[in-house]
């Protein structure tokens, strides 16, 4: 039965019903690039049901046929060891997409083919996208995709996603596959293992009343046409058999729940016999045997169908030469730090160019609002709009150019391939302090925003590594803290702004290293598992990619300013204006009284006045609010800058920045930690961060005073 087409009067008419197609692939194979190229602007982002892993959906039409695309999380295999892998597997088996596109990095085949073979074993209706064809060619790899397609029994398309090459062919292949599904050819293990797999298949068929359904619909292929497939919960029996051998806990559970009581003993006994037969044959655990045999099949396969030309391209040689410096044992790390320092330096030099204009515009608007509403007799509205909203939001938006430029430079470093080298040299350091190499990625993301950083800890397989990493991610200075730093450094450290900023980021990193080291010695004892990292070839970054990425991230910052920060700023204004009759933002206002209550706590740190304490309290909603609150409170006293110069000294300003950097993370981050690790660890993070911030700021201020006098 061909579900996609109807035969009417001998002519085939396509049903216009949309088909669902999933994208799957290892991390960094260009999945996002392919997804974007296929869907253009028709995308929406949400969460997978029940969990907070990002779910991306989009659609495109090809020759009048509508395809809904779902982007599955990046993964190396279909074993359910991480949440991402479970999500992908569940989607394929339960939601039964009409087709699955597996995206493969053609320049890195052996590792990528593991997932492809697992999908083939699962019997999914597959399309293979050989992406990174440009780099495959650079590496001298020759691929015959026609032959490949015949051998695997699936369509194979070549693409260079970031240049949009091959996307139309891919669209065609996808819509063909979605409307005319077929099962890939079956692959056998070497006989020694294959016999056991077939034996388990028979056992399952005999013991469990599964679902028999026709899934093979391929008209050209005589091998599969008309055959029926036996499956349980959408998993084909052959796949179940290999998964049992691989000791997959979910599949063992699945089989257990489906086994009728009277067959259980027989089944378990036979299975145990097969296990011991394999152990006897191979002198290895069955799960190791399956993985090794699968790799052996893949190795032979890659040798056969992908030919390496003798010559290595110029770019490859250049990459080798550059890597000799950038990954150098001793030079690598200092070089990376120099690059980072230059990044911050440039963030200021280039960003500073715009600041004056934006500031001017907001002052003009703010004064205009106050005058306008004043003339109309609505002084309170003038104060709300002029001082509260425009003062608060304006003081944050001023930093948009800095933030955009920071993202721009980081995207360039990432796209060129240099950031991977940074990760590589950092990895050694991470290991030395007891963090897993993969922890680097969540921590790197933490520089953007702690929330995705915390969520990215999922990729760490061991629970211990995961908790340890998510506890230190908030120490990475996220972009929300940047406005605080830029504001204060430009006032108090105008001559060496870049260096002071760099030192703050370093304080965050060094604290993270220190905390991780202590936790590893106390609460999270144990060894760290090793990590093998790939280093892509260097290339010239694509302008479109870099600009698009930086804009997308900056837009998030803008949206936050327009929503949550807007609301907090209004709350600040209200609290600073009430009770009725008090002078706006005076110490008699509700806000003032609240601040006065907490101020003594911060006196030893050098900023014991009420405006600082309320800004820090409101800053727990979102760290930008620290600046927003100060902006709204000092709006009445002329420029924010002038006010701050009266209240702070360079030393107390530095102490204030250190405190803002380290203290309690924002509500969204705490929420993410709670979801990932539970209340206990959230409480722990809350407390230790506050104590750490307090102690360090205290040290900065008190020791600084001794030195400066
Ligand atoms: P994902 O992690 O699988 O989603 O991969 P991305 O789409 O984020 O791509 C990772 C990097 O590879 C990005 O810098 C892309 O610009 C780049 N990229 C994507 N497709 C290709 C390709 O076909 N050739 C080359 N050379 N780079 C690509
Ligand atoms: Mg991606």
């Amino acid at each position: 039965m061909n579900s996609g087409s109807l035969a009417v009067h001998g002519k085939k008419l396509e049903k216009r019903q949309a088909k669902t197609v999933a994208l799957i692939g290892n991390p960094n194979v260009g999945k996002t690039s392919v997804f974007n190229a296929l869907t253009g602007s028709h995308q929406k982002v949400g969460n997978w049901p029940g969990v907070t892993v990002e779910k991306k959906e989009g659609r495109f039409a090809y020759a009048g046929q509508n395809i809904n695309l779902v982007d599955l999380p990046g993964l190396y295999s279909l074993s359910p060891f991480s949440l991402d892998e479970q999500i992908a597997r569940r989607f394929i088996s339960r939601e039964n997409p009409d087709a699955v596109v597996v995206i493969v990095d053609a320049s890195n085949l052996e590792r990528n083919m593991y997932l492809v073979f697992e999908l083939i074993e699962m019997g999914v209706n597959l399309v293979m996208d050989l992406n990174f064809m440009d780099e495959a060619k650079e590496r001298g790899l020759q691929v015959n995709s026609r032959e490949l397609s015949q051998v695997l029994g699936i369509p194979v398309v070549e693409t260079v996603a970031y240049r949009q090459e091959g996307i139309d062919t891919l669209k065609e292949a996808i819509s063909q596959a979605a409307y005319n599904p077929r099962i890939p050819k079956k692959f056998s293990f070497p006989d020694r293992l294959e016999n056991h797999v077939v034996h388990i298949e028979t056992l399952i068929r005999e013991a469990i009343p599964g679902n028999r359904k026709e899934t093979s619909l391929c008209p050209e292929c005589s091998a599969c046409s008309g055959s029926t497939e036996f499956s349980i919960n959408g998993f084909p029996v052959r796949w179940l058999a290999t998964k049992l051998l691989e000791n997959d806990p979910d599949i063992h559970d699945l089989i257990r729940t489906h086994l009728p009581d009277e067959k259980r003993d027989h089944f378990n006994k036979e299975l145990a016999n097969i296990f011991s037969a394999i152990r006897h044959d191979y002198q290895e655990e069955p799960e190791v045997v399956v993985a090794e045999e699968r790799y052996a099949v893949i190795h032979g396969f890659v040798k056969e169908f992908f030919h390496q030309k003798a010559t290595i391209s110029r770019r490859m040689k250049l990459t080798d030469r550059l890597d000799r410096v950038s990954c150098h044992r001793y030079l690598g790390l200092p070089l990376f730090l120099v690059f980072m320092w230059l990044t911050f330096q440039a963030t200021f030099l280039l960003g500073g160019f715009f600041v004056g204009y934006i500031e001017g515009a907001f002052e003009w608007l703010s004064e205009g609002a106050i005058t306008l509403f004043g003339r109309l007799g609505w002084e309170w509205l003038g104060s709300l709009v002029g001082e509260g909203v425009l003062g608060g939001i304006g003081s944050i938006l001023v930093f948009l150019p800095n933030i955009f430029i920071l993202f721009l430079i980081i995207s360039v470093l990432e796209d060129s391939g240099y950031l991977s080298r940074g990760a590589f040299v950092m990895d050694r350091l991470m290991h030395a302090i007891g963090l897993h190499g993969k922890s680097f990625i969540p921590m790197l993301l933490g520089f953007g925003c702690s929330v995705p950083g915390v969520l990215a800890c999922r990729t760490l397989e061991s629970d211990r590594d995961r908790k340890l990493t998510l506890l230190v991610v908030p120490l990475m200075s996220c972009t929300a803290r940047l406005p605080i730093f830029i504001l204060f450094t430009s006032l108090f450290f105008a001559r060496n702004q870049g260096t002071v900023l760099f030192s703050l980021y370093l304080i965050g990193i060094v604290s993270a290293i220190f905390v991780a080291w202590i936790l590893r010695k106390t609460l999270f004892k144990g060894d760290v598992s090793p990590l093998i990292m790939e280093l892509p070839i260097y290339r010239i970054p694509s302008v479109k990619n870099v600009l698009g990425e930086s804009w997308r991230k900056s837009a998030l910052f803008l949206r936050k300013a327009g929503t949550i920060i807007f609301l907090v700023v209004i709350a600040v204004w209200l609290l600073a204006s009430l009770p009725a009759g008090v002078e706006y933002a005076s110490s008699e206002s509700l806000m003032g009284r609240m601040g006065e209550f907490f101020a003594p706590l911060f006196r030893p740190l050098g900023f014991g006045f009420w405006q600082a304490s309320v800004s820090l309290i409101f800053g727990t909603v979102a760290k930008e609010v620290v600046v927003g609150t100060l902006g709204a409170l000092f709006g009445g006293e002329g420029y924010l800058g002038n006010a701050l110069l009266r209240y702070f000294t360079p030393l107390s300003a530095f102490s204030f920045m250190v405190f803002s950097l380290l203290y309690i993370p924002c509500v969204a981050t705490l929420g993410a930690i709670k979801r990932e690790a539970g209340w206990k660890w959230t409480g722990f993070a809350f407390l230790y961060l506050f104590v750490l911030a307090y102690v360090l700021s205290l040290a900065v201020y008190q020791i600084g005073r001794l030195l400066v006098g």
Side-chain angles (χ1 to χ4, degrees):
M1 163 203 72
N2 192 333
S3 62
S5 50
L6 295 168
V8 180
H9 304 307
K11 256 202 279 174
K12 270 190 167 182
L13 281 183
E14 295 301 328
K15 256 203 279 185
R16 290 300 156 103
Q17 195 194 0
K19 297 285 183 187
T20 302
V21 173
L23 287 189
I24 197 168
N26 292 4
N28 288 321
V29 294
K31 230 153 48 70
T32 304
S33 312
V34 170
F35 182 84
N36 292 347
L38 284 172
T39 57
S41 57
H42 303 286
Q43 306 178 0
K44 67 171 197 256
V45 179
N47 274 344
W48 289 95
V51 288
T52 43
V53 175
E54 188 177 89
K55 181 183 193 187
K56 267 205 338 209
E57 289 178 89
R59 60 190 158 81
F60 71 87
Y62 185 84
Q65 297 170 334
N66 290 317
I67 306 285
N68 290 328
L69 269 190
V70 179
D71 192 21
L72 297 176
L75 39 81
Y76 290 106
S77 87
L78 289 172
S79 332
F81 292 122
S82 71
L83 194 59
D84 286 348
E85 291 167 344
Q86 285 168 20
I87 289 173
R89 197 159 106 169
R90 219 162 277 165
F91 184 82
I92 292 175
S93 63
R94 306 235 175 112
E95 309 286 316
N96 242 323
D98 296 289
V100 174
V101 183
V102 59
I103 300 172
V104 162
D105 175 354
S107 67
N108 223 322
L109 270 166
E110 273 205 54
R111 202 206 51 217
N112 276 250
M113 287 305 285
Y114 197 84
L115 180 64
V116 178
F117 271 77
E118 282 195 309
L119 289 162
I120 290 177
E121 282 172 41
M122 246 178 122
V124 298
N125 179 28
L126 208 56
V127 175
M128 181 161 152
D129 172 10
L130 287 171
N131 195 31
F132 275 86
M133 278 310 291
D134 52 338
E135 300 213 340
K137 284 183 188 138
E138 296 271 353
R139 287 181 196 218
L141 219 65
Q142 281 177 324
V143 186
N144 185 341
S145 46
R146 271 260 294 289
E147 211 180 353
L148 194 63
S149 163
Q150 277 168 6
V151 176
L152 295 175
I154 58 177
V156 178
V157 179
E158 301 178 13
T159 60
V160 182
Y162 81 111
R163 291 202 300 243
Q164 316 259 330
E165 285 174 30
I167 296 299
D168 279 329
T169 323
L170 182 61
K171 278 187 182 171
E172 186 185 346
I174 292 174
S175 78
Q176 278 290 334
Y179 284 87
N180 309 293
R182 56 197 240 187
I183 301 180
K185 296 214 172 129
K186 289 229 157 59
F187 268 83
S188 312
F189 290 110
D191 282 345
R192 198 146 75 118
L193 179 63
E194 180 67 23
N195 294 337
H196 294 300
V197 175
V198 173
H199 191 169
I200 301 179
E201 278 183 53
T202 323
L203 270 180
I204 299 176
R205 276 177 211 271
E206 282 170 5
I208 300 177
N211 305 316
R212 263 163 226 286
K213 59 166 188 179
E214 271 185 90
T215 40
S216 68
L217 308 149
C218 135
E220 318 97 88
C221 166
S222 58
C224 59
S225 81
S227 74
T228 57
E229 191 62 36
F230 176 92
S231 67
I232 298 170
N233 277 11
F235 296 118
V237 63
R238 182 182 174 80
W239 189 76
L240 292 172
T242 46
K243 286 290 143 182
L244 280 181
L245 280 178
E246 284 179 275
N247 261 333
D248 185 314
D250 286 2
I251 301 305
H252 274 278
D253 282 350
L254 180 76
I255 296 285
R256 203 172 304 132
T257 50
H258 281 78
L259 263 177
D261 284 338
E262 69 278 10
K263 307 245 168 100
R264 181 160 298 145
D265 284 343
H266 174 72
F267 184 90
N268 287 339
K269 210 177 94 221
E270 289 286 309
L271 193 63
N273 283 342
I274 296 175
F275 268 66
S276 48
I278 295 178
R279 283 194 197 104
H280 180 261
D281 278 3
Y282 284 86
Q283 297 296 317
E284 285 272 23
E285 279 303 306
E287 55 181 304
V288 180
V289 173
V290 171
E292 278 178 357
E293 292 291 23
R294 197 180 280 136
Y295 269 121
V297 170
I298 291 168
H299 186 67
F301 177 86
V302 169
K303 269 232 148 27
E304 177 113 14
F305 292 100
F306 299 88
H307 304 288
Q308 181 86 46
K309 274 191 298 193
T311 57
I312 283 183
S313 78
R314 226 186 34 165
R315 255 179 74 212
M316 192 68 200
K317 273 190 213 147
L318 182 66
T319 293
D320 264 350
R321 218 169 294 153
L322 287 175
D323 274 349
R324 244 172 269 163
V325 183
S326 63
C327 299
H328 188 272
R329 236 189 136 64
Y330 304 111
L331 283 181
L333 191 58
L335 195 70
F336 181 59
L337 291 179
V338 167
F339 263 106
M340 289 293 117
W341 180 77
L342 284 175
T343 304
F344 293 123
Q345 211 61 22
T347 301
F348 280 121
L349 284 180
L350 302 174
F353 181 74
F354 301 92
V355 173
Y357 295 104
I358 304 183
E359 232 166 33
F362 270 99
E363 266 155 34
W364 182 79
L365 280 174
S366 160
E367 275 159 27
I370 294 175
T371 329
L372 179 73
F373 290 118
R375 281 210 195 120
L376 293 171
W378 298 331
E379 272 86 10
W380 66 272
L381 192 58
S383 163
L384 171 63
V385 175
E387 293 173 327
V389 174
L390 290 171
I393 303 270
S395 57
I396 295 170
L397 283 192
V398 167
F399 305 112
L400 188 64
N402 298 96
I403 284 171
F404 182 79
I405 287 164
L406 182 65
F407 283 137
L408 193 73
I409 299 176
I410 298 226
S411 301
V412 168
L413 290 178
E414 185 175 0
D415 229 35
S416 67
Y418 180 69
L419 216 54
S420 305
R421 273 72 189 178
F424 180 78
V425 293
M426 288 299 288
D427 178 48
R428 259 204 312 259
L429 190 71
M430 306 282 279
H431 243 101
I433 56 166
L435 276 172
H436 190 269
K438 268 193 195 167
S439 306
F440 183 73
I441 303 299
M443 292 172 78
L444 202 64
L445 286 174
F447 284 118
C449 171
S450 310
V451 174
V454 168
L455 295 185
C457 293
R458 292 227 173 114
T459 51
L460 290 154
E461 276 142 32
S462 119
D463 193 50
R464 220 174 28 201
D465 291 340
R466 203 166 56 85
K467 293 222 173 89
L468 178 55
T469 310
L470 68 82
L471 285 176
V472 298
V473 163
L475 290 170
M476 303 293 107
S477 182
C478 67
T479 33
R481 292 166 231 190
L482 202 55
I484 311 176
F485 301 159
I486 299 178
L487 175 66
F488 280 88
T489 50
S490 60
L491 286 172
F492 295 96
F493 303 96
R495 263 185 306 152
N496 27 33
Q497 241 186 328
T499 313
V500 172
L501 185 65
F502 181 63
S503 74
L504 283 161
Y505 275 75
L506 269 190
I507 290 176
I509 297 170
V510 172
S511 309
I513 291 176
F514 176 71
V515 171
W517 184 75
I518 298 226
L519 289 178
R520 183 55 89 182
K521 293 260 173 260
T522 53
L523 294 174
F524 299 98
K525 282 190 193 143
D527 281 339
V528 193
S529 37
L531 167 80
I532 297 165
M533 201 152 12
E534 288 133 50
L535 298 173
I537 307 186
Y538 286 105
R539 62 190 169 81
I540 309 279
S542 111
V543 176
K544 205 176 135 211
N545 233 340
V546 164
L547 285 179
E549 194 62 11
S550 328
W551 170 244
R552 221 171 44 81
K553 290 187 179 143
S554 309
L556 279 181
F557 174 77
L558 270 182
R559 201 172 314 143
K560 208 164 151 198
T563 52
I564 184 161
I565 295 173
F566 177 77
L567 292 176
V568 177
V569 159
I570 290 185
V572 167
W573 177 84
L574 267 179
L575 288 173
S577 312
L578 294 174
V582 300
E583 192 192 334
Y584 174 73
S586 64
S587 56
E588 284 80 47
S589 65
L590 282 181
M591 191 73 155
R593 286 186 227 163
M594 182 171 144
E596 294 285 5
F597 179 77
F598 286 103
L601 180 65
F602 297 113
R603 205 152 290 142
L605 312 187
F607 40 88
F609 49 96
W610 69 267
Q611 290 92 335
S613 35
V614 285
S615 74
L616 289 170
I617 293 170
F618 281 90
T620 54
V621 174
K623 295 243 166 144
E624 296 95 331
V625 170
V626 173
V627 170
T629 308
L630 291 173
L633 291 180
F634 288 126
E637 300 187 30
Y639 304 140
L640 173 59
N642 287 338
L644 293 178
L645 280 171
R646 282 207 309 277
Y647 280 92
F648 284 94
T649 64
L651 181 60
S652 65
F654 193 73
S655 161
F656 185 76
M657 287 191 284
V658 170
F659 192 83
S660 314
L661 165 71
L662 304 173
Y663 87 118
I664 306 164
C666 69
V667 179
T669 306
L670 286 174
I673 298 181
K674 197 246 130 196
R675 270 196 307 263
E676 298 301 305
W679 281 116
K680 191 179 105 193
W681 292 111
T682 314
F684 180 80
F686 187 94
L687 277 181
Y688 106 76
L689 286 167
F690 186 82
V691 171
L692 182 71
Y694 198 90
V695 170
L696 269 186
S697 302
L698 186 70
V700 164
Y701 187 65
Q702 296 301 341
I703 295 173
R705 264 207 329 184
L706 287 181
L707 295 181
V708 182

